[in-house]
Amino acid sequence: MISVKNLSHSYNKDETYQVKNISFEVKKGEIFGFLGPSGAGKSTVQNILTGLLQLQQGEVKVADYDVKHTSKNMFNKIGMSFEQSNVYSKLTAKENLDFYGKLFDVATVESMELLKRVGLDGKENIKAGEFSKGMKHRLTFARSMINNPELWFLDEPTTGLDPSIAADIKNIIREKNNEGVTIFLTTHNMFIADELCDRVAFIVDGEIKLIDSPENLKLQYGEKLVEVEYMENNEVKKKTFSTVLPEDKKALEIVIRDHDILTMHTKEATLEEIFIKVTGRGLV
């Protein structure tokens, strides 16, 4: 669904590049995470993919269309939810969606159905300018689904949302992906990326450092440890054992055999820990 080859971009159109010769592909039907701190180049790449920035160097195809020659057919196939909500403040929630739906040449989803999905039913006749930041974000998210996109660009889709609403948004993302929608997820939130993404790309200073699945990354970079809580002489003990070292494996077997086990957890590296290890950079 997305093919990027040797993409570079300079805002000053000189030799100072904000994106530096990056290449990657997004397969049809996958959730692809584009992960990095603020200023890493995530938004620049996303804006080029969605036609908001002109392609300067490289080859980019989105939904089988060359972005050098964008057409309305391409925009009929893609949806975009921005981190910064850009709704019309003087229009009601329903009017925002009804107006936006008229911009497409394909069948669109009924606005009340979308508002209900994001928990804004009952708010349809309130002007968007009176909405809280979180409500505006949900309206922007709902709008991005109106044309039933085949390729869905999501920029920090759960930012500013309470845990319950964020969980609902993640469920919608999973449902759409199960229906075959390809998703390009831009975020610095490694937890949502780990939950949702089939593959992730780490981008820092305009360069992609690696691309792999969260599972493979945790297997490659994580320590193979297990943490066990157990009872010994009426006291709670906690120990961490290697699942690789023979002496630790033997000691773990003894603990399991001779003691009541309270909890047992594998110690996986988080995506954030892996990101820092690979890039030498944090996410802020």
Side-chain angles (χ1 to χ4, degrees), residues 29-33 81 117-118 137 141-142 144-145 149-150 152-159 161 165-187 191-193 195-198:
E30 77 172 329
I31 302 179
F32 186 86
S81 180
R117 290 210 72 181
V118 299
H137 191 77
F141 182 82
S144 70
M145 295 186 283
E150 296 176 24
W152 199 12
F153 291 91
L154 301 177
D155 188 3
E156 303 290 0
T158 60
T159 187
L161 302 179
I165 297 297
D168 291 341
I169 294 297
K170 287 184 283 189
N171 285 336
I172 293 171
I173 293 170
R174 292 186 184 99
E175 288 171 17
K176 287 295 182 182
N177 182 242
N178 288 336
E179 293 170 8
V181 177
T182 305
I183 297 168
F184 187 88
L185 174 65
T186 305
T187 187
F191 296 104
I192 186 174
E195 282 186 78
L196 296 176
C197 294
D198 299 303

Side-chain angles (χ1 to χ4, degrees), residues 55-86:
L55 176 64
Q56 292 178 351
Q57 297 182 31
E59 299 176 19
V60 177
K61 286 188 176 182
V62 172
D64 299 323
Y65 290 90
D66 188 334
V67 299
K68 288 181 180 177
H69 311 288
T70 56
S71 71
K72 198 165 185 179
N73 289 331
M74 184 186 100
F75 293 109
N76 282 332
K77 289 187 173 184
I78 68 174
M80 176 71 208
S81 180
F82 298 90
E83 179 183 11
Q84 301 298 327
S85 301
N86 58 344

Side-chain angles (χ1 to χ4, degrees), residues 205-241:
D205 297 328
E207 297 180 293
I208 291 179
K209 300 299 183 180
L210 61 74
I211 298 175
D212 210 334
S213 70
E215 182 179 1
N216 286 344
L217 290 173
K218 285 187 283 188
L219 287 173
Q220 182 178 353
Y221 291 96
E223 295 182 86
K224 294 178 174 59
L225 303 174
V226 60
E227 185 180 81
V228 182
E229 281 187 321
Y230 59 96
M231 296 299 298
E232 184 177 55
N233 298 325
N234 295 320
E235 292 185 11
V236 176
K237 300 284 187 178
K238 180 188 289 187
K239 284 188 179 181
T240 300
F241 301 89

Side-chain angles (χ1 to χ4, degrees), residues 84-90 96 128-129 131 136 139-140 143:
Q84 301 298 327
S85 301
N86 58 344
V87 295
Y88 294 103
S89 60
K90 293 185 178 180
N96 263 278
F131 278 9
K136 288 178 181 177
L139 182 58
T140 302
R143 188 183 63 188

Side-chain angles (χ1 to χ4, degrees), residues 1-2 9 14 22 44 92 115 126 138 141 144 146-147 153 156 172 207 213 220 237 248 259 262 274:
M1 287 296 281
I2 298 175
H9 188 86
D14 57 17
I22 68 170
T44 300
T92 67
L115 291 171
I126 299 176
R138 281 186 274 163
F141 182 82
S144 70
I146 203 162
N147 58 319
F153 291 91
E156 303 290 0
I172 293 171
E207 297 180 293
S213 70
Q220 182 178 353
K237 300 284 187 178
D248 271 28
H259 300 281
L262 301 177
I274 296 167

Side-chain angles (χ1 to χ4, degrees), residues 105-122:
D105 294 332
V106 294
T108 55
V109 183
E110 206 278 318
S111 57
M112 285 305 302
E113 179 184 337
L114 292 173
L115 291 171
K116 186 175 182 179
R117 290 210 72 181
V118 299
L120 290 176
D121 48 322

